[in-house]
Amino acid sequence: MNIFEIDGPCKLSGTVEISGAKNAALPIMAAAVLGNGKTLLESVPDIADIRTMFELLDSIGVKCKRLENGKVEVDASSIDNPVGDYDIVRKMRASFCIIGPLLARCGQARVSLPGGCSSFGHRPVDIHLKGLRALGAEISIENGYVTARVPEGGLVGTEIFLGGTNGPTVLGTANVLMAASMAKGTTVLEYAACEPEIQDMAIFMKKMGAKISGIGTQTLTVEGVDELKPVEHRIIPDRIEAGTFMVGAVMTQSQITISNCCPEHLRAPIDCLRQMGTRICVDKDSMEVSHTGKIRPAHLTTQPYPGFPTDLQAQFMAMLCLASGNSFITEKIFPERFSHVAELNRLSAEINKVGSSVVISGRETLLGAPVMASDLRASAALVLAGLAAEGKTIVNRVYHIDRGYEDIVSKLQALGAAIERKHIDD
């Protein structure tokens, strides 16, 4: 088993380059299935979730090959097994994105109900299936698998409302958009997710020949086409990785430069940090972040994009443990996403959970201790807390962070952090 050992408090300085966005790369790799031939993707992070997608695509007959400098070739010339097997799909929720393009390309699909981060609570795929059914797909669920078929007349465009209890569904939008791209006629997706990752996928699909308008809004209009072609595309930078390093600079009272990023994708976190006293100088594709002195408390509520992202909630919670006063965070996207609270409290934080909110009583210092990561973003929060804490922090179950952060130990070491990955016997 691998662990991270951190000796804090650390001071960071220098420049960190942000990798391609995991949450854009995964659905785009699924969308590559729509094109008969070889698609070339650039800036694809080398992380566990991407390797899982490689495994899934390989199992359906698509050949994936990692090239040099973050490039990946996806050869969808042949699909001979339109099945998303449980042993693969259970590892990662984004695997379910394969059902939409398989329906469009092959006319059928059999995909296991998804897995992923279990600490978020119940996350059904009912809106995915509602959208696919609205297009005419015949769907049944049996033995933990979703079986979907295109009727004799093909998929047919229609108006589909994609809203759920906690806002638009990101992966559901991706799935239905991919299926609609090759349906007959016009499809209008109302209350669609407009996250940058969905925008990037839609732009990629337009390069392939899809006719999509309204990109970046909550209404997407799709004119179905008969076929899509393979193309070349560069994945956008990972806004969540960039936000994580921004928080790291604040927590360690440091100044760092974050390169290869899209500041426009981080308007809500940037605004929040500035109100907390952080100095942020923004350029077109880079940011200089520095913080000295007290961290002002804050009131945050996670919301669909362009609101404050749920994927930065845990990191900001770790930072607010060091604020000069009481802070409040309300989780509107995944109301049960608070598994990191108990672990942060092990580091001498003072956090109290009340329903879907937490109250954080800021203190001057955190104290190192052994902690256990429970999901991807929670593990990042614990690493950040360890960088700021006095003494040694051991982060267990770091396979969670390996799912979404490319080479995070080396990046932090290059900034001056005293962090090491070590292997211990189970």
Side-chain angles (χ1 to χ4, degrees):
M1 179 177 71
N2 286 332
I3 64 168
F4 290 168
E5 185 177 284
I6 307 168
D7 288 314
C10 302
K11 197 78 170 177
L12 306 180
S13 65
T15 300
V16 60
E17 182 175 351
I18 300 304
S19 300
K22 166 185 99 83
N23 290 337
L26 292 170
I28 285 174
M29 289 176 69
V33 169
L34 295 165
N36 185 351
K38 296 179 180 180
T39 286
L40 181 65
L41 301 175
E42 296 183 46
S43 195
V44 180
D46 188 5
I47 54 176
D49 274 9
I50 295 295
R51 292 190 285 273
T52 297
M53 184 58 82
F54 270 45
E55 184 183 1
L56 176 63
L57 293 178
D58 180 71
S59 73
I60 67 174
V62 175
K63 298 178 177 63
C64 295
K65 182 165 56 177
R66 182 168 284 281
L67 309 175
E68 75 286 347
N69 300 323
K71 296 180 181 179
V72 165
E73 181 185 271
V74 181
D75 185 354
S77 300
S78 174
I79 301 172
D80 53 23
N81 181 42
V83 176
D85 190 74
Y86 167 76
D87 286 338
I88 304 174
V89 178
R90 67 179 175 84
K91 299 177 184 177
M92 180 182 69
R93 186 173 178 79
S95 300
F96 198 70
C97 273
I98 204 70
I99 193 170
L102 283 177
L103 264 181
R105 174 85 184 272
C106 304
Q108 61 178 322
R110 185 170 182 266
V111 181
S112 170
L113 290 168
C117 290
S118 60
S119 61
F120 293 6
H122 184 50
R123 294 191 289 165
V125 294
D126 54 339
I127 299 177
H128 300 236
L129 304 186
K130 168 191 169 184
L132 296 176
R133 283 191 176 107
L135 292 170
E138 299 169 351
I139 294 175
S140 61
I141 302 176
E142 190 174 345
N143 303 123
Y145 279 78
V146 175
T147 300
R149 296 182 184 279
V150 174
E152 186 174 337
L155 298 177
V156 179
T158 185
E159 293 186 6
I160 305 171
F161 182 76
L162 292 174
T165 304
N166 299 313
T169 164
V170 175
L171 293 182
T173 298
N175 246 333
V176 180
L177 180 61
M178 287 186 276
S181 68
M182 297 177 70
K184 297 177 181 178
T186 302
T187 300
V188 179
L189 304 182
E190 296 284 3
Y191 206 31
C194 54
E195 273 72 4
E197 296 79 14
I198 291 295
Q199 295 180 42
D200 198 32
M201 190 192 79
I203 291 168
F204 167 73
M205 291 175 62
K206 285 193 71 171
K207 290 181 181 178
M208 298 178 79
K211 296 181 179 179
I212 305 169
S213 60
I215 296 173
T217 76
Q218 291 190 326
T219 301
L220 296 173
T221 302
V222 188
E223 300 288 342
V225 298
D226 291 333
E227 63 178 3
L228 297 174
K229 64 181 185 298
V231 294
E232 296 184 8
H233 182 75
R234 184 176 184 85
I235 306 296
I236 58 171
D238 195 318
R239 63 189 171 111
I240 305 304
E241 183 189 15
T244 299
F245 278 100
M246 292 171 72
V247 172
V250 176
M251 292 187 69
T252 58
Q253 300 280 297
S254 301
Q255 177 176 315
I256 65 172
T257 298
I258 299 171
S259 67
N260 187 43
C261 65
C262 290
E264 65 186 78
H265 294 166
L266 287 159
R267 286 173 179 159
I270 288 173
D271 178 68
C272 180
L273 287 173
R274 282 174 170 162
Q275 292 186 51
M276 295 166 65
T278 304
R279 179 177 172 272
I280 303 173
C281 297
V282 173
D283 203 346
K284 181 180 178 181
D285 59 0
S286 67
M287 295 182 289
E288 185 180 87
V289 183
S290 61
H291 194 106
T292 56
K294 293 182 178 181
I295 300 171
R296 298 173 195 151
H299 293 194
L300 303 179
T301 300
T302 64
Q303 296 174 325
Y305 186 83
F308 190 90
T310 181
D311 278 355
L312 284 175
Q313 178 251 103
Q315 299 92 312
F316 269 68
M317 187 184 298
M319 176 177 56
L320 290 171
C321 292
L322 294 170
S324 57
N326 293 333
S327 298
F328 302 86
I329 296 178
T330 299
E331 177 59 66
K332 291 284 191 179
I333 309 300
F334 300 117
E336 299 176 38
R337 193 178 195 176
F338 288 120
S339 63
H340 41 283
V341 168
E343 298 304 305
L344 287 171
N345 282 340
R346 285 180 52 80
L347 298 172
S348 300
E350 296 182 24
I351 309 170
N352 291 295
K353 180 178 176 294
V354 183
S356 61
S357 300
V358 294
V359 181
I360 309 159
S361 300
R363 50 176 298 146
E364 290 188 5
T365 60
L366 297 176
L367 302 177
V371 290
M372 190 80 70
S374 56
D375 66 60
L376 171 56
R377 306 307 175 184
S379 61
L382 296 176
V383 169
L384 296 177
L387 296 176
E390 294 183 356
K392 189 181 298 294
T393 297
I394 304 293
V395 182
N396 293 278
R397 292 183 180 172
V398 298
Y399 57 82
H400 286 292
I401 204 167
D402 291 336
R403 287 185 48 227
Y405 289 87
E406 183 177 37
D407 211 11
I408 190 169
V409 170
S410 295
K411 288 183 177 183
L412 286 170
Q413 288 174 340
L415 293 174
I419 179 172
E420 290 186 46
R421 179 191 293 266
K422 293 186 176 180
H423 180 80
I424 61 172
D425 294 331
D426 294 347

